[in-house]
Amino acid sequence: MDEPALGGDAQAWFDELYRPEVRRAPQSYYREVRDTHPVIRTPSIARGEHGGAGGDDDGSDKTMIWVAKRSDIDSGLRCPEVYSSRLSEPVLMLPTGVDPPDHVKYRRILDPLFAPRNMNKLEEPITQYANELIDAFIERGECDYITEFAIPLPCNVFLRLVGLPLDELGDWLRLKDALMRGSGETAMLAFAEVDERFEALVIERRRDPRDDVLSQLLSLELEGEALSHDELLAIFRLLLVAGLDTVTASLACFYSFLSRNPEHRRRLVNEPTIIPAAVEELMRYESPVPYLPRVVTKAAELGGCPINAGEDVVFMLGSGNTDELFYDRPDLVDFDRPSVRHLSFGGGIHRCLGSHLARIELRVSLREWHRRIPDYHIPDDVELDFLPLVPLAPRQLDHLPLVFDQVAG
Amino acid sequence: MHLEIDESRCTGHGRCYDIAPELFEPDEYGHGRVTKVGASGTFDRDRALLVVRACPEDAILLAEG
């Protein structure tokens, strides 16, 4: 049995993780990791630390195990008894922060709210909104894809669905960024502000229920009892960080690829029926949410390596999605790949609650955009700068300038 | 030949009813459910295998009986 490779080159490991080239195109990095360190133990990295090697600042000697092979990731995600979601987070989020049996109870009441039968109704309004956004910049012949499309589309859909005032988008985005990427104190202040705002919203909705997810949450019952304020708040926190970040990140990844690959773009234009398959393949190859954290509950074995209770684990979904033992020619983006089976919405019991909504948003975005703007490119002098990868943060761009070469009106 | 879903494994990715709506449909939780056609065996075997392979949880079984 091999001991996981230990700390000696941990600094090099983290330096590599944060290199701009790796952030931009991590696929070859994943391959190298699978070849050299399919399971590696490093010092633990706290959430929100982007500086480099973590773990030492607070004097803790906590360790973290990175898992790169698809077979190990699959078995880990399907084994919540060993790989727990009860991470030492500053605040609780539900249902991502709990294990069975509690987890199942929350999912039974939340899944119906985000199930296809409800989400499919949103296709029409999302289509309309996507076109309104395109109307605003199409004649200019260029746009910043992130600020003018990838942020407003999913975020407005989310605000409407949950029932938050549309003119508060800026505030909620600021809070989401502080929660996801801020360091200790910034994140805690943001959590406090979210708590306060949520309290006001709850009072408002109890008085005046509407047709939105907030009102639905208030009427949910768990084993005959309404959810407590703390439970509601923990669910709300999750909706916020998941709903305001992940689809934006996915669109950023998709368009950074498509704007550099005209032959793939052309197929979306000429064969719009392949768009659902293209979404799956781009989700696989780009893996917008590349890392999924867990904590070990008891001594176990992972990929032939002994691991201990209390250790942090990071399942490298992006690596699992490009594992050559699992896919034929994994580094090829192939919209004709049969049965693309990826882990970009996670795997096991914590499968992304919003995946059905996300798929609709991504498909509509690709369809409407390529119908109206079939050809576009990134200006030559622009270098894409993906934000640093922290364990929980998606791959994200602040800006993606696009120039249109052809518009269809 | 018929299709089955192992409910202890299904977590509601929805790939089955997305790819082959004639063989699977979503329940109110978004988990997959076998349709009459999927249960009856009057379907193309290769198409069924495509869906079996697409399930991220290995929750779909093509029973040959």
Side-chain angles (χ1 to χ4, degrees):
Chain A
M1 205 187 286
D2 297 328
E3 189 72 19
L6 237 155
D9 52 1
Q11 185 62 50
W13 170 268
F14 285 115
D15 286 349
E16 190 67 10
L17 200 59
Y18 293 112
R19 246 174 4 110
E21 295 78 16
V22 169
R23 287 186 235 150
R24 203 157 34 233
Q27 294 83 6
S28 56
Y29 162 75
Y30 298 145
R31 176 186 293 264
E32 199 184 307
V33 173
R34 281 191 306 275
D35 288 348
T36 57
H37 303 95
V39 182
I40 182 176
R41 177 179 281 129
T42 70
S44 206
I45 179 174
R47 227 186 116 184
E49 276 177 38
H50 340 143
D56 293 332
D57 297 354
D58 56 357
S60 129
D61 53 2
K62 222 167 144 38
T63 46
M64 179 171 256
I65 296 176
W66 301 72
V67 185
K69 284 199 173 204
R70 176 60 173 261
S71 52
D72 294 333
I73 297 171
D74 272 337
S75 34
L77 291 178
R78 291 175 193 178
C79 189
E81 311 82 63
V82 177
Y83 304 98
S84 164
S85 293
R86 291 187 183 270
L87 309 171
S88 47
E89 297 278 4
V91 296
L92 177 68
M93 293 197 204
L94 285 174
T96 47
V98 289
D99 299 321
D102 292 344
H103 172 265
V104 189
K105 297 185 212 158
Y106 291 114
R107 286 301 289 250
R108 287 302 273 187
I109 56 175
L110 290 172
D111 276 350
L113 303 187
F114 296 93
R117 80 170 57 161
N118 280 329
M119 296 300 100
N120 290 344
K121 291 180 210 151
L122 298 176
E123 175 160 357
E124 203 184 304
I126 294 171
T127 303
Q128 194 189 334
Y129 188 55
N131 279 293
E132 283 170 27
L133 290 172
I134 295 171
D135 288 341
F137 52 67
I138 189 165
E139 280 170 25
R140 213 166 71 222
E142 58 170 16
C143 73
D144 179 351
Y145 182 72
I146 303 300
T147 58
E148 296 182 84
F149 194 90
I151 289 176
L153 182 85
C155 293
N156 274 281
V157 170
F158 172 80
L159 294 183
R160 277 173 213 270
L161 179 68
V162 174
L164 300 174
L166 298 185
D167 59 3
E168 289 181 5
L169 175 60
D171 287 343
W172 293 109
L173 284 175
R174 170 179 57 80
L175 290 167
K176 178 267 297 178
D177 284 333
L179 298 181
M180 301 276 298
R181 297 176 180 278
S183 57
E185 200 187 343
T186 319
M188 289 319 288
L189 284 172
F191 274 118
E193 188 178 338
V194 169
D195 294 4
E196 217 169 283
R197 283 169 173 263
F198 182 69
E199 202 146 330
L201 284 163
V202 167
I203 293 170
E204 214 176 278
R205 282 305 184 287
R206 287 210 196 278
R207 206 169 35 214
D208 177 23
R210 296 186 210 164
D211 181 21
D212 57 29
V213 165
L214 255 178
S215 306
Q216 287 170 319
L217 288 179
L218 296 178
S219 65
L220 288 178
E221 285 187 357
L222 201 59
E223 291 163 353
E225 288 194 40
L227 295 174
S228 72
H229 185 80
D230 285 350
E231 288 173 315
L232 291 167
L233 179 59
I235 294 168
F236 182 72
R237 287 178 186 136
L238 172 69
L239 295 183
L240 211 56
V241 297
L244 291 178
D245 210 61
T246 49
V247 175
T248 298
S250 303
L251 288 172
C253 291
F254 283 21
Y255 279 74
S256 85
F257 177 88
L258 290 168
S259 57
R260 288 176 288 116
N261 289 277
E263 68 285 4
H264 288 83
R265 214 157 59 214
R266 215 164 293 135
R267 288 206 60 197
L268 300 182
V269 175
N270 295 335
E271 305 164 61
T273 52
I274 63 161
I275 285 175
V279 165
E280 301 310 312
E281 176 67 348
L282 289 168
M283 285 302 278
R284 178 192 74 78
Y285 181 74
E286 292 289 338
S287 301
V289 180
Y291 302 122
L292 209 53
R294 294 286 188 265
V295 60
V296 180
T297 59
K298 55 185 175 198
E301 196 191 296
L302 180 56
C305 304
I307 56 172
N308 310 307
E311 290 193 281
D312 288 327
V313 173
V314 178
F315 291 111
M316 303 177 70
L317 303 181
S319 175
N321 280 336
T322 49
D323 189 334
E324 46 287 317
L325 293 180
F326 199 81
Y327 299 97
D328 188 29
R329 303 175 74 189
D331 290 336
L332 190 76
V333 176
D334 176 6
F335 294 161
D336 298 317
R337 201 181 279 280
S339 324
V340 186
R341 176 176 159 183
H342 62 73
L343 294 172
S344 291
F345 291 109
I349 58 169
H350 289 279
R351 185 268 311 164
C352 170
L353 181 62
S355 64
H356 304 293
L357 174 59
R359 281 192 163 103
I360 295 172
E361 293 180 326
L362 295 169
R363 290 171 186 179
V364 168
S365 296
L366 291 188
R367 188 182 70 207
E368 297 308 307
W369 179 283
H370 290 91
R371 187 173 64 77
R372 301 187 64 188
I373 308 173
D375 218 1
Y376 49 94
H377 68 272
I378 304 172
D380 290 341
D381 56 343
V382 171
E383 200 162 307
L384 296 186
D385 187 18
F386 277 86
L387 297 179
L389 293 169
V390 291
L392 277 179
R395 300 178 59 217
Q396 180 74 285
L397 285 167
D398 279 334
H399 299 284
L400 174 57
L402 293 178
V403 177
F404 313 149
D405 303 306
Q406 194 194 338
V407 292
Chain B
M1 174 173 80
H2 67 279
L3 287 157
E4 286 172 21
I5 290 181
D6 180 345
E7 285 173 30
S8 70
R9 284 181 164 242
C10 175
T11 63
H13 289 262
R15 303 304 297 130
C16 56
Y17 51 79
D18 209 21
I19 295 172
E22 77 281 14
L23 303 179
F24 300 92
E25 60 193 4
D27 67 12
E28 64 164 310
Y29 304 98
H31 287 208
R33 197 159 58 187
V34 179
T35 61
K36 279 189 185 142
V37 175
S40 71
T42 54
F43 50 79
D44 181 62
R45 189 167 182 276
D46 287 345
R47 186 161 163 80
L49 283 175
L50 191 77
V51 191
V52 169
R53 282 194 285 265
C55 176
E57 309 295 343
D58 290 313
I60 304 174
L61 181 76
L62 178 63
E64 303 283 359

Coordinates of all heavy atoms in Angstrom, one line a residue, chain A residues 74 78 107-108 111-112 115-117 280 338-342 345-349 351 355-356 359 363, chain B residues 9 11-15 17-19 26-31 49-58:
Chain A
D74 N -15.6 8.7 -8.0 CA -16.9 8.1 -8.0 C -17.1 7.4 -6.7 O -18.2 7.5 -6.1 CB -17.0 7.1 -9.2 CG -17.5 7.8 -10.5 OD1 -18.1 8.9 -10.4 OD2 -17.2 7.3 -11.6
R78 N -19.9 8.5 -3.6 CA -21.0 7.6 -3.3 C -21.0 7.1 -1.9 O -21.7 6.2 -1.6 CB -21.1 6.5 -4.3 CG -21.4 7.0 -5.7 CD -21.4 5.9 -6.7 NE -21.4 6.4 -8.1 CZ -21.3 5.6 -9.2 NH1 -21.2 4.3 -9.0 NH2 -21.4 6.1 -10.4
R107 N -33.6 17.2 1.1 CA -33.8 17.1 -0.3 C -35.2 16.7 -0.7 O -35.7 17.1 -1.8 CB -32.8 16.1 -0.9 CG -31.3 16.6 -0.9 CD -31.2 17.8 -1.8 NE -31.3 17.6 -3.2 CZ -30.3 17.6 -4.0 NH1 -29.0 17.9 -3.6 NH2 -30.5 17.4 -5.3
R108 N -35.9 15.9 0.1 CA -37.2 15.5 -0.2 C -38.2 16.7 -0.3 O -39.1 16.7 -1.1 CB -37.8 14.5 0.8 CG -37.3 13.2 0.8 CD -37.4 12.5 -0.5 NE -38.7 11.7 -0.7 CZ -38.9 11.0 -1.7 NH1 -38.0 10.8 -2.7 NH2 -40.1 10.3 -1.8
D111 N -36.2 19.3 -3.4 CA -36.1 18.8 -4.8 C -37.3 19.2 -5.7 O -37.1 19.6 -6.8 CB -35.9 17.3 -4.9 CG -34.4 16.9 -4.7 OD1 -33.5 17.8 -4.8 OD2 -34.1 15.7 -4.5
P112 N -38.5 19.0 -5.1 CA -39.7 19.3 -6.0 C -39.7 20.8 -6.5 O -40.1 21.1 -7.6 CB -40.9 19.1 -5.1 CG -40.4 18.0 -4.1 CD -39.0 18.4 -3.9
A115 N -37.4 20.8 -9.5 CA -37.5 19.7 -10.4 C -37.9 20.2 -11.8 O -38.4 21.3 -12.0 CB -38.6 18.7 -9.9
P116 N -37.7 19.3 -12.8 CA -38.0 19.7 -14.2 C -39.4 20.3 -14.4 O -39.5 21.3 -15.1 CB -37.8 18.5 -15.0 CG -36.8 17.7 -14.2 CD -37.1 18.0 -12.8
R117 N -40.4 19.8 -13.7 CA -41.7 20.2 -14.0 C -41.9 21.7 -13.7 O -42.6 22.4 -14.3 CB -42.8 19.4 -13.4 CG -43.1 19.6 -11.9 CD -44.3 18.8 -11.5 NE -44.2 17.4 -11.7 CZ -44.9 16.4 -11.1 NH1 -45.8 16.8 -10.2 NH2 -44.7 15.2 -11.3
E280 N -23.5 19.4 -22.4 CA -22.9 18.4 -21.6 C -21.4 18.2 -21.8 O -20.6 18.1 -20.9 CB -23.6 17.0 -21.8 CG -25.1 17.0 -21.6 CD -25.5 17.6 -20.2 OE1 -24.8 17.2 -19.2 OE2 -26.4 18.4 -20.2
P338 N -20.9 10.0 -27.5 CA -22.2 9.4 -27.0 C -22.2 9.4 -25.5 O -21.2 9.1 -24.8 CB -22.1 8.0 -27.6 CG -20.7 7.7 -27.9 CD -20.0 9.0 -28.0
S339 N -23.3 9.6 -24.9 CA -23.5 9.5 -23.4 C -22.4 10.2 -22.6 O -21.6 9.6 -21.9 CB -23.5 8.1 -22.9 OG -24.1 7.2 -23.8
V340 N -22.3 11.5 -22.7 CA -21.3 12.2 -21.9 C -21.7 12.2 -20.5 O -22.8 12.7 -20.1 CB -21.2 13.7 -22.3 CG1 -20.1 14.4 -21.6 CG2 -21.1 13.9 -23.8
R341 N -20.9 11.5 -19.7 CA -21.3 11.2 -18.3 C -20.3 12.0 -17.5 O -19.1 11.5 -17.3 CB -21.2 9.7 -18.1 CG -21.5 9.3 -16.7 CD -21.4 7.8 -16.9 NE -21.2 7.1 -15.6 CZ -21.1 5.8 -15.5 NH1 -21.2 5.1 -16.6 NH2 -20.9 5.3 -14.4
H342 N -20.6 13.1 -17.0 CA -19.6 14.0 -16.3 C -20.1 14.2 -14.8 O -21.2 13.9 -14.4 CB -19.4 15.3 -17.0 CG -20.7 16.1 -17.1 ND1 -21.2 16.8 -16.0 CD2 -21.5 16.4 -18.2 CE1 -22.3 17.4 -16.4 NE2 -22.5 17.2 -17.7
F345 N -22.0 18.5 -12.2 CA -23.0 18.9 -11.2 C -22.8 18.0 -9.9 O -23.8 17.8 -9.2 CB -24.4 18.6 -11.8 CG -24.8 19.6 -12.9 CD1 -24.9 19.2 -14.2 CD2 -25.0 20.9 -12.6 CE1 -25.2 20.1 -15.2 CE2 -25.3 21.9 -13.6 CZ -25.4 21.4 -14.9
G346 N -21.6 17.6 -9.7 CA -21.4 16.7 -8.6 C -21.9 15.3 -8.8 O -22.3 14.9 -9.9
G347 N -21.8 14.5 -7.8 CA -22.2 13.1 -7.9 C -22.7 12.6 -6.5 O -22.3 13.2 -5.5
G348 N -23.4 11.5 -6.5 CA -23.9 11.1 -5.2 C -25.1 11.9 -4.7 O -25.7 12.7 -5.4
I349 N -25.3 11.8 -3.4 CA -26.6 12.4 -2.8 C -26.6 13.9 -2.9 O -27.7 14.5 -2.9 CB -26.8 11.9 -1.4 CG1 -25.5 12.4 -0.5 CG2 -27.0 10.4 -1.3 CD1 -25.8 12.2 1.0
R351 N -25.9 15.8 -5.5 CA -26.1 16.3 -6.9 C -26.7 17.7 -6.8 O -27.7 17.9 -6.2 CB -26.9 15.3 -7.6 CG -27.1 15.6 -9.1 CD -28.3 16.4 -9.5 NE -29.5 15.9 -8.9 CZ -30.6 16.7 -8.8 NH1 -30.7 17.9 -9.3 NH2 -31.7 16.2 -8.3
S355 N -29.4 21.9 -10.9 CA -28.9 21.4 -12.2 C -29.9 21.5 -13.4 O -29.6 21.8 -14.5 CB -28.3 20.0 -12.1 OG -29.4 19.1 -11.8
H356 N -31.2 21.3 -13.0 CA -32.2 21.3 -14.1 C -32.4 22.8 -14.6 O -32.5 23.0 -15.8 CB -33.5 20.7 -13.6 CG -33.4 19.3 -13.1 ND1 -33.1 18.3 -13.9 CD2 -33.4 18.8 -11.8 CE1 -33.0 17.2 -13.2 NE2 -33.2 17.5 -11.9
R359 N -29.2 23.7 -16.7 CA -29.2 23.2 -18.1 C -30.0 24.0 -19.0 O -29.7 24.3 -20.1 CB -29.6 21.7 -18.0 CG -28.6 20.8 -17.6 CD -28.9 19.3 -17.9 NE -27.7 18.5 -17.8 CZ -27.4 17.7 -16.7 NH1 -28.2 17.7 -15.7 NH2 -26.3 17.0 -16.7
R363 N -28.5 26.0 -22.2 CA -29.0 25.7 -23.6 C -29.6 26.9 -24.3 O -29.3 27.2 -25.4 CB -30.1 24.6 -23.5 CG -29.5 23.2 -23.1 CD -30.6 22.2 -22.8 NE -30.1 21.0 -22.3 CZ -30.8 19.9 -22.0 NH1 -32.1 20.0 -22.1 NH2 -30.2 18.9 -21.5
Chain B
R9 N -29.8 4.3 -5.8 CA -28.7 5.0 -6.4 C -29.0 6.3 -7.1 O -28.2 7.2 -7.2 CB -28.0 4.1 -7.4 CG -27.2 3.0 -6.8 CD -26.5 2.1 -7.9 NE -25.4 1.4 -7.3 CZ -24.2 1.5 -7.7 NH1 -23.8 2.3 -8.7 NH2 -23.2 0.8 -7.1
T11 N -30.0 9.9 -8.0 CA -30.0 11.1 -7.2 C -30.6 12.3 -8.0 O -30.5 13.4 -7.6 CB -28.6 11.5 -6.7 OG1 -27.8 11.8 -7.8 CG2 -28.0 10.4 -5.8
G12 N -31.2 11.9 -9.2 CA -32.0 12.9 -9.9 C -31.2 13.8 -10.9 O -31.5 14.9 -11.1
H13 N -30.1 13.3 -11.4 CA -29.4 14.0 -12.5 C -30.3 14.3 -13.7 O -30.1 15.3 -14.4 CB -28.2 13.2 -13.0 CG -27.0 13.2 -12.0 ND1 -26.0 14.0 -12.0 CD2 -26.8 12.4 -10.9 CE1 -25.1 13.7 -11.0 NE2 -25.6 12.7 -10.3
G14 N -31.2 13.4 -14.0 CA -32.1 13.6 -15.0 C -31.6 13.3 -16.4 O -32.2 13.7 -17.4
R15 N -30.5 12.6 -16.5 CA -29.9 12.3 -17.9 C -30.8 11.4 -18.6 O -31.0 11.5 -19.8 CB -28.5 11.8 -17.7 CG -27.5 12.6 -17.0 CD -27.4 14.0 -17.6 NE -26.9 14.0 -19.0 CZ -27.5 14.6 -20.0 NH1 -28.6 15.3 -19.8 NH2 -27.0 14.5 -21.2
Y17 N -34.2 10.7 -18.6 CA -35.4 11.3 -19.3 C -35.1 12.4 -20.2 O -35.9 12.7 -21.1 CB -36.5 11.7 -18.3 CG -36.1 12.6 -17.1 CD1 -36.0 13.9 -17.3 CD2 -35.9 12.0 -15.9 CE1 -35.6 14.7 -16.2 CE2 -35.6 12.8 -14.8 CZ -35.4 14.2 -15.0 OH -35.1 15.0 -13.9
D18 N -33.9 13.0 -20.1 CA -33.5 14.0 -21.0 C -33.1 13.4 -22.3 O -33.5 13.9 -23.4 CB -32.3 14.7 -20.4 CG -32.2 16.2 -20.8 OD1 -33.2 16.7 -21.3 OD2 -31.1 16.7 -20.7
I19 N -32.3 12.3 -22.3 CA -31.8 11.7 -23.5 C -32.9 10.8 -24.2 O -33.1 10.8 -25.4 CB -30.6 10.8 -23.2 CG1 -29.5 11.7 -22.7 CG2 -30.2 10.0 -24.4 CD1 -28.3 10.9 -22.2
P26 N -39.6 12.1 -15.6 CA -39.2 12.6 -14.2 C -40.4 12.5 -13.3 O -41.5 12.6 -13.7 CB -38.9 14.1 -14.5 CG -39.6 14.5 -15.7 CD -39.8 13.2 -16.5
D27 N -40.1 12.1 -12.0 CA -41.2 12.2 -11.0 C -41.1 13.6 -10.4 O -40.4 14.5 -10.8 CB -41.0 11.1 -10.0 CG -39.7 11.2 -9.1 OD1 -39.1 12.3 -9.1 OD2 -39.4 10.3 -8.4
E28 N -41.9 13.8 -9.3 CA -42.1 15.2 -8.8 C -40.8 15.7 -8.2 O -40.6 16.9 -8.0 CB -43.2 15.3 -7.8 CG -43.0 14.4 -6.6 CD -44.0 14.8 -5.5 OE1 -44.0 16.0 -5.1 OE2 -44.6 13.9 -4.9
Y29 N -39.8 14.7 -7.9 CA -38.5 15.1 -7.3 C -37.5 15.3 -8.4 O -36.3 15.7 -8.0 CB -38.1 14.1 -6.3 CG -39.1 13.8 -5.2 CD1 -40.0 12.7 -5.3 CD2 -39.2 14.7 -4.1 CE1 -40.9 12.5 -4.3 CE2 -40.1 14.5 -3.1 CZ -41.0 13.4 -3.2 OH -41.9 13.2 -2.2
G30 N -37.8 15.0 -9.6 CA -36.8 15.1 -10.7 C -36.0 13.8 -10.8 O -35.1 13.7 -11.6
H31 N -36.4 12.8 -10.0 CA -35.7 11.5 -10.2 C -36.4 10.8 -11.4 O -37.5 11.1 -11.8 CB -35.9 10.6 -8.9 CG -35.1 11.1 -7.8 ND1 -34.6 10.2 -6.8 CD2 -34.6 12.3 -7.4 CE1 -33.9 10.9 -5.9 NE2 -33.9 12.2 -6.3
L49 N -29.0 1.1 -24.0 CA -27.6 1.1 -23.5 C -26.9 2.4 -23.4 O -26.1 2.7 -22.5 CB -26.7 0.1 -24.3 CG -27.0 -1.4 -24.1 CD1 -26.2 -2.2 -25.1 CD2 -26.7 -1.8 -22.7
L50 N -27.3 3.3 -24.4 CA -26.8 4.7 -24.4 C -27.1 5.4 -23.1 O -26.3 6.0 -22.4 CB -27.3 5.4 -25.6 CG -26.8 6.8 -25.9 CD1 -25.4 6.6 -26.6 CD2 -27.7 7.5 -26.8
V51 N -28.4 5.2 -22.7 CA -28.9 5.8 -21.4 C -28.2 5.2 -20.2 O -27.9 5.8 -19.3 CB -30.4 5.7 -21.3 CG1 -30.9 6.6 -20.2 CG2 -31.0 6.2 -22.7
V52 N -28.1 3.8 -20.2 CA -27.5 3.1 -19.1 C -26.1 3.7 -18.9 O -25.7 4.0 -17.7 CB -27.4 1.6 -19.4 CG1 -26.5 0.9 -18.4 CG2 -28.7 1.0 -19.5
R53 N -25.4 4.0 -20.0 CA -24.0 4.5 -19.8 C -24.0 6.0 -19.5 O -23.0 6.5 -19.0 CB -23.2 4.3 -21.1 CG -22.8 2.8 -21.3 CD -21.7 2.7 -22.4 NE -22.4 2.8 -23.7 CZ -22.7 1.7 -24.4 NH1 -22.5 0.5 -23.9 NH2 -23.3 1.8 -25.6
A54 N -25.1 6.7 -19.7 CA -25.1 8.1 -19.4 C -25.4 8.4 -18.0 O -25.2 9.5 -17.5 CB -26.1 8.8 -20.3
C55 N -25.9 7.5 -17.2 CA -26.3 7.7 -15.8 C -25.0 7.9 -15.0 O -24.2 7.0 -14.8 CB -27.1 6.6 -15.3 SG -27.5 6.9 -13.5
P56 N -24.9 9.1 -14.3 CA -23.7 9.3 -13.5 C -23.6 8.5 -12.3 O -22.6 8.4 -11.6 CB -23.8 10.8 -13.2 CG -24.8 11.4 -14.1 CD -25.7 10.3 -14.4
E57 N -24.7 7.9 -11.9 CA -24.7 7.1 -10.7 C -24.8 5.6 -10.9 O -25.0 4.8 -10.0 CB -26.0 7.5 -9.8 CG -26.1 9.0 -9.5 CD -24.9 9.6 -8.7 OE1 -24.2 8.8 -8.1 OE2 -24.8 10.8 -8.7
D58 N -24.7 5.2 -12.2 CA -24.9 3.7 -12.5 C -26.2 3.2 -11.9 O -26.2 2.1 -11.4 CB -23.7 2.9 -12.0 CG -22.4 3.2 -12.7 OD1 -22.4 3.2 -13.9 OD2 -21.4 3.4 -12.0

